[in-house]
Amino acid sequence: CQGGLLFVGSSSIRIWDLKKSFPDRLALNRGFGGSQMSDVIQYVDRIVIPYAPKIIVLYEGDNDIAAGKSADQVTHDFQSLVGLVHAELPKTKIVFISIKPSPKRWELYPHMKQSNDQIQSLTEKDDRLDFVDVSRVMIGDDGLPIQSLFVKDGLHLNAEGYRRWANLIRPHLSR
């Protein structure tokens, strides 16, 4: 994966069929279920740094908020992770996938949105950081998460959900 594409994050990353979504790219999946941003920080020397990726696609924050962490804590952990990565890999681009609106965790979404807004603000100050807002393709006209994008648990994406994510992420992989 040296100089390639590395996907890191919780189960939403782990179960993603990257070959199907990005058939033209060599992408390494280092997602692990139930993980939080602090877990990626703890294991960054094992699951990120050795691969020296050109681009990291990161999805974390969902489990953090569900575990009771504040939006500020998630944002702080994101900043810490970025600092650790850029200390070793200063040119690596980090693409943050916004915390998704899901039927299962909809009552927590205001906190998730607050964290998303804070992280988006940080990404606007550093050319090596990108923010992908998945809510714009996951919330319906009724203002609620689109049920048909999820598997039965109401938390994890189905093929259509991942297709929408891939379409939003793809433009961030070419720069």
Side-chain angles (χ1 to χ4, degrees):
C1 182
Q2 291 265 323
L5 184 56
L6 179 68
F7 282 71
V8 178
S10 61
S11 55
S12 293
I13 294 291
R14 184 185 60 77
I15 60 180
W16 194 346
D17 184 347
L18 297 176
K19 281 183 181 39
K20 186 176 178 188
S21 291
F22 306 99
D24 55 327
R25 301 295 299 251
L26 181 59
L28 185 62
N29 190 324
R30 283 294 168 258
F32 52 112
S35 67
Q36 297 181 26
M37 199 89 68
S38 55
D39 297 315
V40 180
I41 290 169
Q42 182 178 347
Y43 297 111
V44 71
D45 290 333
R46 285 174 38 196
I47 64 171
V48 177
I49 304 302
Y51 300 106
K54 184 176 179 183
I55 300 172
I56 297 166
V57 179
L58 173 68
Y59 182 78
E60 285 292 2
D62 204 327
N63 294 322
D64 309 59
I65 299 286
K69 288 185 181 171
S70 69
D72 290 342
Q73 183 63 53
V74 174
T75 304
H76 178 268
D77 288 349
F78 173 76
Q79 286 178 289
S80 297
L81 178 59
V82 167
L84 289 169
V85 170
H86 284 158
E88 297 291 324
L89 307 167
K91 291 189 165 102
T92 295
K93 180 169 148 179
I94 300 171
V95 178
F96 182 80
I97 301 171
S98 68
I99 307 170
K100 70 181 177 304
S102 66
K104 180 171 180 141
R105 294 183 175 165
W106 184 240
E107 75 283 353
L108 298 174
Y109 194 66
H111 302 289
M112 295 171 171
K113 174 134 181 36
Q114 183 185 353
S115 187
N116 285 338
D117 291 346
Q118 292 172 352
I119 290 172
Q120 182 172 17
S121 176
L122 292 172
T123 64
E124 290 166 356
K125 297 175 182 133
D126 187 333
D127 290 341
R128 300 170 297 175
L129 303 177
D130 274 0
F131 182 86
V132 176
D133 180 9
V134 295
S135 71
R136 55 196 186 96
V137 298
M138 297 188 74
I139 295 179
D141 294 335
D142 61 359
L144 297 171
I146 301 169
Q147 292 269 354
S148 63
L149 301 178
F150 295 87
V151 296
K152 262 188 239 157
D153 68 6
L155 180 63
H156 297 99
L157 299 174
N158 61 23
E160 175 59 18
Y162 282 118
R163 189 190 68 74
R164 290 181 182 207
W165 276 27
N167 286 341
L168 290 177
I169 292 165
R170 209 169 278 113
H172 295 270
L173 304 181
S174 56
R175 287 182 282 122

